[in-house]
Amino acid sequence: MLSQTSKRLPQTLAKSGTHVAVERLAIIMGDQLNDDAPLLGKLDKSRDAVLMMEVEEESTHVPSHKQRIVLFLSAMRHFATHLANKGYRMHYVQLEDSSNTQSFTSEIERAVKQLRPNRVLYTHPGEWRVKKTIDEAAQAVRVPVEVHADHHFLVSLSEFGDWMTGRKQPVMEHFYRAQRRRLGVLMQNNGQPEGDTWNFDPMNRQAFKDQPHIKKPYSPKPDAMTKDVIRLVNERFPHHPGSLETFCWPVTRTQALRALKDFVANRLANFGAYQDAMWTNEPFLYHSALSTSLNLKLLAPLECVVQATKAYQNGQAPLNSVEGFVRQIIGWREFIHGIYWHEGPTYRDRNSLNQHGMLPDFYWTGQTDMTCMRQAIGQVLSYGYGHHIQRLMVTGNFALIAGVSPQLISDWYLGMYVDAVDWVTLPNTLGMVMHADNGLVGSKPYAASGKYIQRMSNYCSNCPYDPGLRTGQQACPFTTFYWDFLMQNRKRLQHNLRMRMALRNLDRISKKELSAISAQADHRRQEFGI
Ligand code: SF4
């Protein structure tokens, strides 16, 4: 789909002080790289123009992983070239342009002053902050603004609002089933789900013991444009976390489609069974690693679902795997997107467990003797990636049970993962991981001791700590923090039916041991700088 006619990055339409006639100026953000967006279809190529901006502010408002910066900039440059080849007039502001003021607000104002459009158009962005920025900038230069719905998502914001109406507790499973029915995905003619079961989770929790052969995800080699961006990022952001040596992410739609094909052919069949497993030096296992392409909109959600369901129909992948993948795309992803916009900009301030601890330094360096954290953070530093269980049950679980502030850990996820955009990171972290939204996204806190990690990985077999011990030098910090977390939150959680068993187990521990756990948890918090 990407035209290869020219690989030259388009420049700004007008140098400062000159005037080029532009009727409407359409802003395209770095996570809006789909050329079937209705906004683009509305443009008159001879009269209107497209504005794309690379600004330093977007890489520094939370310290961004170097690979995340490269991914966004390189994908934007490839997309701008593609649009220029299709005849769009591009006004592209590069990071290194000497007149670049490095913030969206001032760059939008500067572009409007230069090009004097009579209207600014944009597609609903992926972050409240960015929406506010565009609206305020346009208001400052007194240009009317037209906002277009983002048709990349399968459920519009108003449809999600309708679904939420009257629900005290939105349950993802209910939302997911409604989408399966509405879209006719994995449904039988009698209205029942394929295989007469909606959810194959019980089959999808196998530990990765047998080590079947895994084919690594397709990883395109950086082309000249990406290499330029890698040089630029190394030069301008030398102290940002992460390494660029292993950059392997698709930056064009053609590459993203190849990554989808590669996943369906080589890993989908085993994805279901091992989707919760973790294994030393296996960062991807059978996961799709398609979230960067989806979140930049190089891929559409439905085309991923269609390819996966075809693999089931052709006998290439079992139902438990395909259903698990479909659930992630049309269930969880759409649900999280809806929650982000439904709950409004103050959602990010919620802190219902009243946690205020600092984020330990090892989240930025991976230097810790806890093997699970070193592995999970180490692969984030190497690839900007971790799969959902590493995010939820290792790095996230630790922050939850140790008492880290939900805002600090949310910002860490936003900066460190290549697929991070605020709409996806915030409800997943603040809601699902940190239970800071009072159970809106997850009906219970996903708190677990080291024994969970021992069951789902091989990390503990090469760790100085013992996941079975709650106190003492060898006690696993996860296990100590887990019981301390239950003690501290007992009152808040006592009416939650899903926590009943955990609290009953807490009641079996003697007072003497409880106070030793509490003292050890305090000591560990001090040691880790929490
Ligand atoms: Fe992690 Fe504890 Fe297992 Fe070590 S023993 S790998 S710290 S869960």
Side-chain angles (χ1 to χ4, degrees):
M1 195 157 164
L2 252 185
S3 162
Q4 299 299 316
T5 321
S6 162
K7 287 258 178 145
R8 249 188 78 230
L9 178 65
Q11 304 297 309
T12 53
L13 269 179
K15 292 210 163 84
S16 183
T18 58
H19 175 59
V20 174
V22 168
E23 284 196 8
R24 296 178 300 174
L25 185 62
I27 301 174
I28 305 273
M29 292 294 172
D31 62 338
Q32 298 178 335
L33 309 183
N34 45 334
D35 73 357
D36 59 353
L39 175 71
L40 286 169
K42 286 196 180 305
L43 298 185
D44 177 334
K45 290 177 182 170
S46 62
R47 296 169 160 193
D48 302 330
V50 173
L51 169 64
M52 293 180 75
M53 300 157 283
E54 300 176 353
V55 295
E56 199 164 301
E57 186 184 54
E58 290 309 294
S59 304
T60 53
H61 81 280
V62 293
S64 272
H65 192 298
K66 285 181 192 154
Q67 288 204 20
R68 182 169 180 262
I69 308 175
V70 170
L71 174 67
F72 273 79
L73 298 190
S74 177
M76 283 171 72
R77 289 182 181 201
H78 282 88
F79 188 67
T81 309
H82 169 62
L83 291 186
N85 287 339
K86 284 182 83 173
Y88 289 96
R89 295 199 299 168
M90 301 300 296
H91 187 76
Y92 193 94
V93 182
Q94 287 183 252
L95 193 75
E96 64 270 45
D97 287 351
S98 55
S99 40
N100 186 340
T101 55
Q102 306 296 351
S103 96
F104 278 153
T105 316
S106 46
E107 277 310 294
I108 294 168
E109 288 180 23
R110 198 164 69 90
V112 169
K113 278 179 191 158
Q114 278 180 351
L115 304 174
R116 292 182 226 160
N118 53 30
R119 190 165 285 263
V120 165
L121 280 51
Y122 70 92
T123 301
H124 203 283
E127 188 170 351
W128 280 105
R129 178 186 61 89
V130 174
K131 183 168 187 333
K132 190 164 169 262
T133 299
I134 301 175
D135 290 343
E136 284 176 358
Q139 212 173 36
V141 283
R142 299 203 178 116
V143 178
V145 167
E146 207 175 289
V147 190
H148 291 254
D150 188 347
H151 288 201
H152 165 87
F153 292 97
L154 299 168
V155 180
S156 73
L157 299 183
S158 66
E159 285 166 340
F160 189 81
D162 291 346
W163 182 80
M164 284 288 280
T165 306
R167 285 172 204 269
K168 278 190 194 144
Q169 170 77 54
V171 177
M172 195 288 286
E173 184 67 28
H174 300 165
F175 172 82
Y176 165 65
R177 290 180 189 187
Q179 298 318 313
R180 287 265 300 270
R181 286 196 191 94
R182 183 175 73 92
L183 298 166
V185 175
L186 294 177
M187 295 300 294
Q188 304 178 70
N189 290 337
N190 62 3
Q192 290 305 304
E194 192 68 29
D196 296 321
T197 307
W198 289 102
N199 184 326
F200 291 87
D201 273 356
M203 291 172 73
N204 288 355
R205 294 185 189 121
Q206 287 187 43
F208 183 68
K209 287 200 175 109
D210 316 318
Q211 298 204 52
H213 175 68
I214 305 174
K215 197 157 179 289
K216 299 261 182 290
Y218 159 69
S219 46
K221 284 208 165 59
D223 63 8
M225 195 174 264
T226 302
K227 281 181 184 163
D228 277 350
V229 176
I230 289 175
R231 267 193 295 275
L232 177 69
V233 169
N234 270 329
E235 226 172 81
R236 289 187 77 115
F237 306 98
H239 304 301
H240 276 232
S243 150
L244 282 172
E245 278 154 33
T246 49
F247 185 85
C248 60
W249 300 102
V251 293
T252 66
R253 176 161 164 79
T254 307
Q255 292 175 350
L257 284 170
R258 202 165 149 197
L260 170 60
K261 205 169 155 196
D262 167 77
F263 165 64
V264 172
N266 297 316
R267 295 187 309 287
L268 174 62
N270 279 317
F271 165 73
Y274 301 106
Q275 66 169 292
D276 287 1
M278 299 175 280
W279 206 254
T280 305
N281 299 332
E282 287 288 355
F284 301 103
L285 288 166
Y286 297 100
H287 288 265
S288 72
L290 294 173
S291 50
T292 59
S293 298
L294 275 161
N295 293 351
L296 264 58
K297 306 193 178 103
L298 297 171
L299 289 177
L302 214 46
E303 68 188 335
C304 299
V305 167
V306 166
Q307 293 306 316
T309 51
K310 263 191 198 160
Y312 167 64
Q313 283 149 8
N314 299 338
Q316 291 169 277
L319 186 54
N320 64 305
S321 282
V322 174
E323 189 280 317
F325 180 68
V326 164
R327 169 186 299 269
Q328 286 191 338
I329 307 277
I330 68 171
W332 193 247
R333 186 170 185 268
E334 295 286 333
F335 178 75
I336 285 295
H337 179 250
I339 289 281
Y340 178 82
W341 290 103
H342 186 268
E343 292 303 303
T346 56
Y347 181 76
R348 70 166 294 112
D349 303 326
R350 294 187 200 176
N351 190 354
S352 62
L353 297 182
N354 197 25
Q355 303 204 145
H356 300 279
M358 300 302 289
L359 191 68
D361 282 348
F362 58 69
Y363 272 80
W364 303 104
T365 63
Q367 286 171 12
T368 165
D369 55 2
M370 290 180 281
T371 303
C372 56
M373 291 293 271
R374 196 172 62 245
Q375 280 284 321
I377 295 168
Q379 74 173 62
V380 174
L381 291 167
S382 296
Y383 300 100
Y385 177 81
H387 68 68
H388 66 277
I389 291 297
Q390 291 172 310
R391 299 188 204 203
L392 179 66
M393 302 309 292
V394 182
T395 46
N397 180 28
F398 185 90
L400 169 72
I401 59 183
V404 171
S405 141
Q407 283 70 35
L408 290 180
I409 187 73
S410 294
D411 283 349
W412 181 78
Y413 277 101
L414 181 60
M416 290 296 277
Y417 287 79
V418 279
D419 54 13
V421 182
D422 204 44
W423 69 261
V424 66
T425 309
L426 195 67
N428 265 308
T429 308
L430 190 132
M432 183 72 175
V433 168
M434 298 301 287
H435 203 68
D437 62 0
N438 207 18
L440 184 77
V441 168
S443 54
K444 74 169 190 118
Y446 280 82
S449 75
K451 286 199 163 175
Y452 172 86
I453 295 170
Q454 184 183 37
R455 201 164 54 246
M456 296 311 300
S457 76
N458 66 342
Y459 297 150
C460 304
S461 57
N462 186 26
C463 182
Y465 300 110
D466 181 341
L469 296 180
R470 297 189 271 242
T471 56
Q473 269 307 304
Q474 243 97 58
C476 164
F478 278 82
T479 304
T480 308
F481 283 139
Y482 170 71
W483 293 105
D484 182 63
F485 173 83
L486 289 182
M487 267 188 272
Q488 292 200 32
N489 292 286
R490 180 199 288 269
K491 268 197 185 147
R492 283 191 189 96
L493 302 175
Q494 64 189 352
H495 300 299
N496 186 325
L497 293 181
R498 297 188 69 198
M499 294 303 292
R500 195 179 274 174
M501 173 82 88
L503 293 178
R504 220 177 271 152
N505 288 337
L506 180 69
D507 291 338
R508 294 199 181 102
I509 302 175
S510 69
K511 277 196 178 144
K512 193 174 162 208
E513 193 183 350
L514 289 178
S515 76
I517 291 170
S518 190
Q520 177 139 346
D522 284 345
H523 174 77
R524 288 280 187 220
R525 268 188 282 272
Q526 262 186 8
E527 179 190 334
F528 296 141
I530 298 168

